[in-house]
Each structure stands twice: as C-alpha cells, then as structure tokens.
Amino acid sequence: MNASKTTITHLRVRYAETDQMGVVYHANYLIWFEVARVEWCRQRGINYRDLEQQHGLFMAVAEARCRYRHPAYYDDQIIISTQLTRLRSRSLTFAYKAIRATDGTLLAEGETVHIFLNRQRRPTAMPPELIAQMQA
C-alpha cells in the first residue's frame, strides 16, 4: 500500500505546552501526532480500546521522527494532517504535518512506525478485516 487519504485534526496551543520563551516545547509535537493518529483510526471505525480489549492487539511505537521547521506559540491554531503511508501485516507507518492554520506555515513534519503486538507482547499480524478498515 502506498498511501491513504489524509485526516485533518485541529488543535489549539495551550499555555502549558509552551516553554519559558513562549514557544511550543518540542515533545508536544509527538503528543499532537498521537492525537491525530487516534483520530485517523477513529474516522475509519478503529478504536484503540477495542483493538486492545477485543482483538488483543497493541500498536507499539518502534520509531518516531520529527523535523521542526518553524515555532508555534500559545493560542496558535494548529492543523495536523495525518496519512498512512505504509501498511504491512505486522507494521504500519504514519506521516504527519503540523501547520499553523492562520498562515499555512509548516511548523513540523514527522513520522511514526508501529508494530503490532499480541497480549504476550510478541509481534503479530493484524487480522485481515482490520487491514481492510485501514485501507478503506
């Protein structure tokens, strides 16, 4: 699979997410990517809790990358675009872009790679019906 439709998530920078200089602290981008990834799944009918409780599947982060381009500040409106860029039976990769809504400035871009684990925390394949949901 090459790519999937992009999901857009809207966020607003909270004061607690900024550092002493008034700039968004770098680790918050990874949190925003997680929020956007969960929304991407939710829009396709996939709920993390159901994955874990009903299917015994866990999506463990194997890699995370973020390239910072421009700072974001308190109260900025942020758009996170999320796209599934690679889907395999045992892993998947998401790409993200964080954009300031008011002027379209690319703030950061990143990627996360996830592997599927079973209840025993061993790598496992995702059921075909879940793969189909992700491809929909």
Side-chain angles (χ1 to χ4, degrees):
M1 170 175 198
N2 290 340
S4 67
K5 291 183 180 178
T6 300
T7 295
I8 301 297
T9 305
H10 296 270
L11 305 166
R12 185 179 293 272
V13 176
R14 297 172 295 180
Y15 186 76
E17 295 171 320
T18 63
D19 62 18
Q20 190 173 2
M21 297 182 296
V23 174
V24 170
Y25 180 67
H26 71 277
N28 286 303
Y29 287 90
L30 293 175
I31 294 168
W32 295 348
F33 292 170
E34 179 185 0
V35 169
R37 181 176 62 252
V38 169
E39 185 59 30
W40 186 96
C41 290
R42 184 175 287 123
Q43 288 187 17
R44 283 148 187 84
I46 300 166
N47 180 300
Y48 266 61
R49 184 178 15 204
D50 293 345
L51 270 179
E52 295 170 0
Q53 293 177 357
Q54 294 176 9
H55 299 283
L57 282 178
F58 299 87
M59 286 175 45
V61 176
E63 293 179 40
R65 178 184 66 78
C66 186
R67 168 92 176 164
Y68 305 97
R69 301 290 183 173
H70 293 281
Y73 303 97
Y74 168 68
D75 210 35
D76 277 352
Q77 293 182 40
I78 309 296
I79 297 167
I80 308 291
S81 68
T82 307
Q83 186 174 47
L84 180 67
T85 57
R86 188 171 191 181
L87 177 60
R88 294 180 151 189
S89 65
R90 293 178 179 241
S91 68
L92 46 85
T93 303
F94 288 97
Y96 313 90
K97 288 186 181 178
I99 300 161
R100 187 177 5 260
T102 55
D103 62 9
T105 300
L106 176 62
L107 304 171
E109 53 192 337
E111 183 177 85
T112 55
V113 178
H114 305 262
I115 58 171
F116 295 102
L117 301 176
N118 62 19
R119 292 187 201 281
Q120 292 74 40
R121 305 298 195 253
R122 302 252 188 250
T124 190
M126 188 170 40
E129 64 272 11
L130 288 175
I131 291 174
Q133 272 184 275
M134 289 192 168
Q135 290 174 326

